[in-house]
Amino acid sequence: MPPSSIEKAFLKKWLKGLQALSSSSSSSTSKKEMSIFERKKAIKLSADVAMASLKNGTTSWSRALIQNASKDDNNRTLLKNMLGSQCDEKLSRGPTTTSMMCSMRVRSKRVLRRSCRWRRVRKITKDQRVHAGSMAKRLVKKRTQVLRSLVPGGEYMDEYSLFEETLDYIMSLRAQVDVMRRLANASEFSSKS
Amino acid sequence: MDLGDKDKFELEKGSEDPSNFHPSGISLDWRFESANLANTSTGLVPTGNSMSVCKEDLVGSSSCSSASMVESFYPSLWEQPTNQNTLGFCDMIVQTTASTSSALGFRKGLPGSFRAGIEKNLDQAWNPQGTMIKGGMFLPSAAAKLPQSLSQFPADSAFIERAARFSCFNSGNFSDMMNPFNMPDSISPYTKGARMMSGPQEILGGNRFLAEEQSQRNDQGAVGGSNTVSMSVDHVAIEGNPQKNESPRRSHDEAKKGVGVSGNESDEAEFCGGGAQEEASILDCAGGQPSPNKGIGLKKRKRGGQDTELDHIKGVPEHPAEPAKENSENQPKGDQNPTSTANKHNGKNGKQGYQTSENPKEDYIHVRARRGQATNSHSLAERVRREKISERMKFLQDLVPGCSKVTGKAVMLDEIINYVQSLQRQVEFLSMKLATVNPRLDFNIERLLAKDILQSQAGPSTLGFTRDMAIPYPGMLQPPQSGLIQPGLSGLGNSSDALRRTINSQLTALGGGFKEPNSQVHSHS
């Protein structure tokens, strides 16, 4: 299957980031040779950021991803190179409000949960019967929680948004994997021959 | 083959005088008259049943296949002493007609006297038999019972009536009964007083007579347990002897009825109760009938096991379909239940979500409460949310491979989680691979593409990316170009250098000339 436009754009950005990385690494005399793990981390990071930047901040997962990446100071340079200065500024400004709101929401949820825990425990001890419906509900809740942990920035989303974000995230991941696989195969082949 | 014979049989039945029970083209002679059905044992292997002996007689020339079928069926089914007779007889008759191999058949033009004789024989043969073949063991039962049934075949109107009833017995429940005279539609309305005669008539063409009798018999409670419709049909054919053992016939009829009424055991119970008096004699002969319901149930189950065989034999495709349909109907209901619970959960989650997100959508969504649903604003909003979520789930279902059959939120979520985790793991793995392949993080796409061009590779090495994608690349490459390309070039040699230079130049020229080499690159994808 020929690569889609998303994949092409992703590759462009990714390679750009990789170049930045390699140039920075090559320029620094102390660290000429990065360890394999460092390389891998750099590759992965650049790939993720490239994919997220393609979204231009439309999806919350991309925003969250870039925010998480920018938290680490080591990545600042990379991000700057890849995203450009404007993106960096936008991201630094934008998420504050949303993150504040989200954190507030999370805090309130925690308080609520703690308060309800007592009641819940009592209720459970009273009624030992486990209905299929309640069990299924619990399953769904548990799994939703796991999904939140997987999708970047999922903790702050409501259920409906979570599904939408998951959809988009899966699409992006697919494209990312496809491009990376192609590149890996090509590199492998070229290195062999 | 069996079906064909059956059809023929049916046609003949229809065309001929109802009173005439003529199996068409059956080579097997009607040996009932001559047979001491309890004696000879040729093709059919007796299963310790007197009927089997008779069977042999009847089936004699017919193949042993039916006999074998009967044998297999025999031990399991032939438990109930009574009611087998009529069934056996019918089975025999039908069997012969139904299958060429069975060669059980009534010669055309058998006069009523012959039938009467046969009935008498059957009557004699049946009484000791006592076991009714239930559910569709049409051929086997027929084969097995024929010898016996012939001797025992009661030549009374009751018997004929029962036979007719049995023949009509193919309603939905007959799936395991394997009613050879497949009369699904006609049988379905078969009830106590229903005239299922339409069914048998198709087959025998002479069920009209029996129909009347059956109507009389319907009230009788004898639970023969043997539901072989063939029996009734045979009885119908025989007609001449309604004076058969009423109990076998009745049980036969009732067994058939039970089957016809979708396995309504209650009917059989009724039969049992009603026919108690009549059955008394037969019961004595048969050594007592096991609890009719139990017996019927057992037989039905056993019959079910034999369904496949019977299907072939009986050539009644529609009949089994009905019960099967019924079964399948139950299953979807079961499936719907979990989804409904899942929806309930969705609703609950939706409520929570509703509370947490104050404005899911700014515009007003007009929701109309469906019939039977709460009109509370909260529940309406919940419903809207639920629907939205389910819509998203549908998208996700399409996206995640292998989720098309999965229903239910929990399972879908599980699949999604697995998929996302696998994708993330793949990213990790591929990045590690790239790190190992490329020690210097110099992914020189030019080099890679050049390699492909040089080698005209259409394999996995091709990136499949068009040249236009690489056009901005040179721009990026300019500063690090020297640093990056050099190490990459070192391994290639001079020839590739030249090529690369050309590539570079062409790249800057917006890659117009790279269509050809690109085609090679694209060939892979």
Side-chain angles (χ1 to χ4, degrees):
Chain A
M1 263 186 53
S4 62
S5 59
I6 299 170
E7 294 180 1
K8 292 178 200 170
F10 163 69
L11 182 67
K12 272 188 231 172
K13 277 209 164 177
W14 184 28
L15 288 172
K16 188 179 170 190
L18 283 173
Q19 281 172 28
L21 271 172
S22 62
S23 63
S24 66
S25 70
S26 60
S27 61
S28 65
T29 52
S30 59
K31 235 175 32 162
K32 269 281 180 178
E33 293 289 331
M34 291 165 83
S35 74
I36 188 164
F37 296 109
E38 286 172 6
R39 280 207 302 277
K40 172 229 168 195
K41 265 200 314 191
I43 288 167
K44 184 167 186 285
L45 175 71
S46 54
D48 291 340
V49 172
M51 191 50 80
S53 67
L54 284 175
K55 294 289 166 180
N56 276 333
T58 50
T59 58
S60 70
W61 70 264
S62 56
R63 289 197 297 267
L65 201 149
I66 292 169
Q67 281 169 47
N68 291 338
S70 62
K71 279 180 198 163
D72 191 0
D73 291 331
N74 295 339
N75 308 333
R76 277 263 156 195
T77 50
L78 170 69
L79 282 164
K80 273 202 185 126
N81 286 335
M82 286 185 75
L83 307 170
S85 54
Q86 10 163 297
C87 296
D88 203 25
E89 292 163 11
K90 199 188 349 170
L91 289 167
S92 58
R93 251 189 280 122
T96 49
T97 49
T98 54
S99 64
M100 265 167 57
M101 277 169 61
C102 295
S103 60
M104 273 162 58
R105 231 184 264 158
V106 168
R107 258 182 264 138
S108 57
K109 269 190 190 168
R110 276 194 218 126
V111 169
L112 241 161
R113 272 189 225 125
R114 263 185 233 127
S115 64
C116 293
R117 210 172 287 162
W118 308 113
R119 278 186 219 153
R120 246 184 253 153
V121 167
R122 272 183 229 149
K123 209 179 181 182
I124 287 163
T125 51
K126 273 183 198 171
D127 188 8
Q128 290 295 329
R129 278 180 298 161
V130 180
H131 300 281
S134 62
M135 198 163 70
K137 231 200 299 176
R138 253 181 277 140
L139 264 177
V140 167
K141 262 197 170 161
K142 223 195 292 182
R143 287 176 186 170
T144 313
Q145 204 61 40
V146 174
L147 190 62
R148 278 179 210 270
S149 67
L150 285 176
V151 176
E155 295 87 13
Y156 310 122
M157 300 176 205
D158 58 3
E159 196 175 294
Y160 182 65
S161 320
L162 180 66
F163 285 145
E164 280 193 76
E165 295 289 324
T166 312
L167 250 170
D168 198 68
Y169 187 56
I170 288 174
M171 301 274 295
S172 307
L173 272 177
R174 264 189 179 173
Q176 191 177 349
V177 165
D178 192 32
V179 170
M180 286 176 87
R181 193 182 290 131
R182 285 185 204 252
L183 190 61
N185 289 338
S187 304
E188 200 177 347
F189 181 79
S190 67
S191 66
K192 276 184 193 167
S193 56
Chain B
M1 176 171 79
D2 292 341
L3 282 168
D5 290 339
K6 218 179 228 304
D7 293 339
K8 268 201 288 179
F9 177 71
E10 294 179 10
L11 284 169
E12 284 196 357
K13 291 286 167 193
S15 58
E16 292 172 358
D17 180 6
S19 63
N20 250 355
F21 186 74
H22 313 295
S24 59
I26 303 300
S27 58
L28 182 64
D29 294 337
W30 186 245
R31 305 190 185 183
F32 292 122
E33 48 188 335
S34 60
N36 218 350
L37 300 170
N39 298 340
T40 59
S41 56
T42 50
L44 299 176
V45 177
T47 56
N49 203 328
S50 56
M51 291 266 291
S52 62
V53 176
C54 303
K55 181 185 19 173
E56 287 168 358
D57 277 350
L58 291 169
V59 189
S61 60
S62 67
S63 69
C64 299
S65 62
S66 55
S68 59
M69 278 192 322
V70 179
E71 294 168 41
S72 61
F73 191 72
Y74 230 44
S76 59
L77 293 180
W78 294 48
E79 294 163 359
Q80 293 196 358
T82 58
N83 306 330
Q84 280 270 272
N85 309 332
T86 55
L87 288 176
F89 185 77
C90 294
D91 290 344
M92 179 176 60
I93 294 173
V94 178
Q95 195 177 17
T96 55
T97 57
S99 64
T100 53
S101 63
S102 65
L104 289 174
F106 300 91
R107 271 199 220 115
K108 276 195 176 187
L110 278 181
S113 61
F114 177 72
R115 258 180 271 123
I118 293 166
E119 286 168 352
K120 278 179 198 158
N121 290 337
L122 285 173
D123 198 3
Q124 300 155 23
W126 276 342
N127 281 330
Q129 174 60 41
T131 56
M132 296 272 273
I133 292 178
K134 271 187 162 216
M137 272 310 289
F138 183 52
L139 285 181
S141 58
K145 291 178 198 165
L146 279 173
Q148 273 196 357
S149 61
L150 283 176
S151 60
Q152 294 173 3
F153 194 82
D156 54 357
S157 57
F159 173 80
I160 291 169
E161 185 187 322
R162 227 172 287 152
R165 244 182 273 158
F166 278 115
S167 63
C168 302
F169 232 76
N170 12 340
S171 52
N173 258 356
F174 239 139
S175 57
D176 52 347
M177 296 268 285
M178 296 314 203
N179 189 351
F181 306 102
N182 184 15
M183 306 169 275
D185 299 332
S186 59
I187 293 301
S188 30
Y190 180 81
T191 53
K192 262 257 180 96
R195 301 301 93 204
M196 311 167 293
M197 297 308 110
S198 58
Q201 280 174 3
E202 297 172 353
I203 298 165
L204 292 177
N207 285 345
R208 288 158 237 163
F209 176 78
L210 283 177
E212 300 150 22
E213 287 196 305
Q214 285 196 13
S215 57
Q216 303 165 18
R217 290 296 171 192
N218 282 343
D219 304 331
Q220 293 174 8
V223 179
S226 63
N227 296 327
T228 53
V229 177
S230 59
M231 294 284 281
S232 62
V233 178
D234 295 341
H235 298 315
V236 176
I238 291 175
E239 284 182 12
N241 298 329
Q243 285 310 319
K244 310 297 177 286
N245 294 336
E246 290 205 355
S247 59
R249 238 186 307 153
R250 208 176 314 123
S251 61
H252 190 63
D253 291 342
E254 273 140 14
K256 291 200 176 172
K257 244 196 244 178
V259 176
V261 189
S262 307
N264 196 348
E265 302 247 8
S266 57
D267 288 356
E268 293 167 350
E270 288 173 47
F271 289 133
C272 284
Q277 320 121 17
E278 294 179 347
E279 282 185 282
S281 58
I282 295 168
L283 281 172
D284 296 341
C285 298
Q289 224 180 13
S291 76
N293 290 339
K294 252 196 261 170
I296 290 161
L298 281 168
K299 284 185 183 162
K300 274 195 181 160
R301 271 175 252 131
K302 283 169 189 168
R303 294 256 170 93
Q306 309 278 348
D307 282 357
T308 49
E309 278 186 356
L310 294 168
D311 274 333
H312 288 302
I313 297 162
K314 305 215 171 167
V316 177
E318 307 159 18
H319 192 61
E322 278 189 6
K325 272 181 226 161
E326 291 170 8
N327 294 335
S328 58
E329 280 166 10
N330 296 332
Q331 282 167 13
K333 283 175 202 165
D335 293 338
Q336 285 162 18
N337 290 336
T339 51
S340 62
T341 52
N343 288 337
K344 281 180 203 158
H345 302 313
N346 287 350
K348 291 274 177 111
N349 292 334
K351 196 168 191 180
Q352 293 168 5
Y354 175 70
Q355 289 165 1
T356 49
S357 71
E358 288 69 44
N359 54 338
K361 295 289 175 264
E362 286 72 15
D363 53 335
Y364 289 105
I365 297 168
H366 293 276
V367 183
R368 189 168 267 271
R370 271 174 262 172
R371 187 193 165 96
Q373 289 192 346
T375 51
N376 188 16
S377 66
H378 284 297
S379 51
L380 278 175
E382 269 178 54
R383 193 151 51 83
V384 167
R385 184 154 212 88
R386 230 183 299 152
E387 284 166 7
K388 274 198 269 175
I389 287 173
S390 58
E391 200 185 314
R392 287 280 166 271
M393 296 286 285
K394 272 188 227 157
F395 281 129
L396 281 167
Q397 225 174 15
D398 298 333
L399 202 59
V400 177
C403 261
S404 52
K405 305 165 198 167
V406 173
T407 54
K409 210 175 172 186
V411 188
M412 265 302 300
L413 274 174
D414 201 34
E415 290 292 319
I416 291 162
I417 286 167
N418 288 338
Y419 190 54
V420 168
Q421 278 174 343
S422 78
L423 282 173
Q424 285 174 343
R425 263 183 258 131
Q426 275 182 44
V427 167
E428 298 263 349
F429 169 74
L430 284 168
S431 61
M432 182 61 104
K433 190 175 175 186
L434 279 167
T436 55
V437 161
N438 218 313
R440 275 170 297 265
L441 287 178
D442 53 349
F443 293 98
N444 190 349
I445 191 137
E446 282 185 10
R447 177 171 65 84
L448 296 167
L449 290 168
K451 273 265 173 179
D452 293 335
I453 293 161
L454 279 171
Q455 319 208 340
S456 307
Q457 279 300 325
S461 63
T462 57
L463 289 169
F465 291 99
T466 54
R467 196 38 94 177
D468 59 355
M469 183 220 80
I471 287 167
Y473 194 73
M476 293 187 277
L477 270 178
Q478 289 312 325
Q481 204 168 22
S482 58
L484 285 171
I485 294 180
Q486 282 288 334
L489 286 175
S490 58
L492 288 172
N494 288 333
S495 58
S496 51
D497 275 350
L499 187 61
R500 204 165 300 101
R501 266 181 239 125
T502 55
I503 289 168
N504 280 339
S505 60
Q506 286 183 4
L507 272 176
T508 52
L510 290 176
F514 269 89
K515 293 301 177 189
E516 293 165 19
N518 285 343
S519 65
Q520 293 174 3
V521 176
H522 290 302
S523 60
H524 162 59
S525 55

